[in-house]
Amino acid sequence: MGDGAPMRTRLTRRGMLAAMLGSAAGAALAGAPTRSLRPPPREDALAARTAAPLERILDEAGLSGKVAFAVADAETGEVLEAKSPLLGLPPASVTKAITALYALDALGPDYRFRTRLVATGPVVDGKVQGDLVLVGGGDPGLDTDALGDMAGRLRAAGVTGVTGAFKVCSGAFPRIASIDPGQPEHVGYNPAVSGLNLNYNRVHFQWKREAGAYTVSMDARARKYSPNVNIARMRVVDRALPVYTYADAGGADEWTVARPALGKEGSRWLPVRKPEAYAAEVFRTLARSHGIALPDAAFTSAPPRDGTALVELESGALTAILRDMLKWSTNLTAEVTGLAASAARGAAPATLQDSAAEMSLWARRELGARRAALVDHSGLGEASRLSARDMVAALLKAREAGMLPGLLKDIPMRNEAGEVLANHPTKIRAKTGTLNFVSALAGYIRTGSGRDLVFAYFSADLDRRAALGPEDGEIPDGARPWKAKSRLLQLRLIERWGTAFG
């Protein structure tokens, strides 16, 4: 799926970006050794001796597993300090920074996703003389309110029904049942991916106990509209574990939940595994509320060859989408933008792994991330590998092109009690990444003296992660303390770098 620009325009944009990126930063990191480096400038070496010793910081962290990092001068690319910079570890959601660069390069900052209502015939006496087709363009931010707006605009165009079929087309991207099959089935951050995505492909589950019995609802909740849905169903059952079970019932997602886990009342988002059917049901309900009668949906992968777009909805610009993705770390957004970028380059990936392989090749070629090996665009898959050296190389090139620093979020410095140090002289713009027993942080530092640094930090206890089983649940024992230790180590290292190299 491209952006409608002629191939010549796209190639020109990519060529300009390649020229902007250049190769100086990659050359500066080309010889990064595998052991800790001692910064050669005399003033940096003197400052480093006044900062907390690196070995002591690492020993006091008490963090199991592997730690790798690199920090470089943002202007020259000179590596100032590193530990195991060539060690490939899971980057978790730091991957999204690579995805943002990949999407910007292929699609351009003004790219917009489109969702359309296409009629295959004219509207006569309120009825489409033919089919009405809801055509998805992959918009990751499409929500129930947006579909409600489309239904309202369709009614304003005079439509009250159809003589043919109501069809739903999601063929812009392949349908993928979940981002990472290794995740617990019920986590909302691991939904299906499709060419038609609604509410980040999540359904809202709510429960309340009254007179000893539970009432439950499943709805497509947004700010204005919250229609109940039948495509996702929930039963409360008497058991201790597992808390949730999922079954594909053909026409619906069938869920059960353990009664003792619910308490008096509450709610949570669950993943949707049938995104096209979910969007179709919600749109039919909203259309009916606007006086439009539609038959049950039929599903197709190909948009109509001939027809008229009665309603078209455009997403925000890609830069705004990516900024939100990096702020909130939305996995669906990362996967959709990554797939769109691969399609714009002429690839036809059937899986996320196929598309991520294209992105890895691009990162090795264009960003100098010579060993990048990614299995998705969000970082949810634990099999992805990225080194601190390669991440720093990518960040240096992105800074040179002015592409990424403005999209990253501010990360406040904190003390060891976790309290924000609002007036701390060191400022950070970065992307975080977290899986169970995996923690990462990468981005840009401005020291109190105004010197700019680029850094990447990866840590993982892969043995403890490999030992996890379904019985360990969403947050296994020991995961939170391990993460807290890793994040404290990140901040102590940044504190050191701000002192030693500022």
Side-chain angles (χ1 to χ4, degrees):
M1 184 182 72
D3 58 3
M7 182 62 70
R8 183 179 60 204
T9 302
R10 183 180 301 138
L11 289 173
T12 300
R13 180 172 65 234
R14 292 183 64 194
M16 290 175 63
L17 179 64
M20 292 171 69
L21 289 176
S23 60
L29 279 173
T34 57
R35 63 181 185 275
S36 295
L37 304 179
R38 295 299 182 185
R42 184 172 303 170
E43 60 272 21
D44 284 345
L46 179 62
R49 288 197 295 270
T50 68
L54 177 60
E55 292 77 8
R56 191 179 78 194
I57 291 174
L58 295 173
D59 289 343
E60 290 178 350
L63 187 66
S64 63
K66 302 290 186 181
V67 173
F69 59 78
V71 59
D73 182 278
E75 296 296 333
T76 67
E78 179 184 22
V79 175
L80 302 174
E81 190 163 80
K83 174 180 170 56
S84 303
L86 302 184
L87 176 64
L89 290 173
S93 284
V94 167
T95 303
K96 293 182 177 74
I98 302 292
T99 301
L101 296 170
Y102 183 58
L104 285 169
D105 180 32
L107 303 171
D110 296 323
Y111 178 85
R112 296 172 190 268
F113 295 91
R114 295 187 301 159
T115 307
R116 298 178 294 147
L117 286 167
V118 177
T120 62
V123 179
V124 178
D125 295 330
K127 290 194 174 183
V128 173
Q129 304 300 298
D131 301 335
L132 180 70
V133 188
L134 175 61
V135 182
D139 185 356
L142 185 70
D143 67 4
T144 297
D145 287 350
L147 282 188
D149 175 67
M150 293 184 75
R153 291 165 60 189
L154 186 66
R155 184 66 182 85
V159 175
T160 59
V162 298
T163 62
F166 168 49
K167 295 183 178 180
V168 173
C169 174
S170 60
F173 304 129
R175 201 224 301 164
I176 297 159
S178 64
I179 297 171
D180 177 23
Q183 295 289 325
E185 288 182 321
H186 63 279
V187 292
Y189 54 76
N190 186 38
V193 181
S194 168
L196 185 59
N197 308 291
L198 180 64
N199 301 327
Y200 297 103
N201 288 340
R202 301 177 307 167
V203 63
H204 188 256
F205 165 46
Q206 188 167 358
W207 65 91
K208 187 174 183 179
R209 186 176 63 203
E210 294 177 336
Y214 281 102
T215 59
V216 300
S217 65
M218 304 284 268
D219 63 64
R221 180 155 303 200
R223 293 181 179 179
K224 184 177 179 180
Y225 299 103
S226 298
N228 289 330
V229 298
N230 294 312
I231 187 64
R233 304 167 186 164
M234 178 65 73
R235 290 187 301 115
V236 181
V237 298
D238 291 315
R239 66 165 183 261
L241 292 173
V243 175
Y244 289 93
T245 67
Y246 169 78
D248 183 344
D253 291 335
E254 294 281 3
W255 294 92
T256 71
V257 61
R259 185 182 302 272
L262 292 181
K264 184 177 180 180
E265 62 182 13
S267 65
R268 72 168 295 157
W269 291 94
L270 294 171
V272 167
R273 302 289 179 224
K274 302 178 185 301
E276 303 89 350
Y278 179 50
E281 181 183 1
V282 170
F283 184 76
R284 283 188 72 228
T285 300
L286 295 169
R288 187 168 59 248
S289 73
H290 284 86
I292 305 170
L294 296 176
D296 290 343
F299 301 98
T300 177
S301 60
R305 293 183 179 179
D306 299 307
T308 301
L310 300 180
V311 178
E312 183 170 297
L313 180 72
E314 282 194 343
S315 71
L318 183 62
T319 49
I321 291 172
L322 295 175
R323 185 176 290 109
D324 283 347
M325 176 192 77
L326 293 167
K327 179 178 181 180
W328 304 110
S329 208
T330 44
N331 292 331
L332 179 73
T333 303
E335 301 305 344
V336 168
T337 53
L339 285 167
S342 292
R345 286 184 163 80
T351 66
L352 294 181
Q353 290 82 357
D354 292 342
S355 183
E358 292 286 335
M359 184 170 79
S360 298
L361 287 171
W362 175 85
R364 295 198 287 267
R365 182 180 65 248
E366 302 292 343
L367 300 181
R370 294 179 300 179
R371 296 174 178 82
L374 306 171
V375 299
D376 57 33
H377 307 286
S378 64
L380 193 57
E382 67 177 7
S384 286
R385 292 293 181 269
L386 195 63
S387 72
R389 176 265 173 211
D390 284 353
M391 191 66 211
V392 166
L395 290 167
L396 283 166
K397 289 198 171 184
R399 180 181 183 273
E400 184 180 347
M403 292 176 62
L404 191 61
L407 299 180
L408 295 172
K409 67 179 180 180
D410 294 326
I411 305 291
M413 290 294 291
R414 298 175 183 269
N415 61 21
E416 295 197 5
E419 299 166 332
V420 172
L421 303 174
N423 296 320
H424 197 284
T426 299
K427 305 301 179 185
I428 312 166
R429 294 184 70 85
K431 181 70 191 81
T432 59
T434 304
L435 298 170
N436 289 325
F437 300 108
V438 173
S439 180
L441 184 69
Y444 305 94
I445 299 170
R446 173 156 290 178
T447 68
S449 69
R451 186 180 188 182
D452 290 326
L453 308 175
V454 178
F455 77 98
Y457 165 100
F458 298 132
S459 62
D461 190 333
L462 298 179
D463 290 339
R464 293 182 73 176
R465 185 166 175 82
L468 298 177
E471 69 280 0
D472 290 298
E474 192 172 343
I475 304 177
D477 290 344
R480 281 197 174 104
W482 188 93
K483 180 175 71 173
K485 288 181 180 180
S486 184
R487 289 188 171 177
L488 180 58
L489 176 56
Q490 293 169 12
L491 292 174
R492 291 200 67 194
L493 287 170
I494 291 170
E495 182 79 47
R496 168 185 164 76
W497 298 333
T499 301
F501 310 124

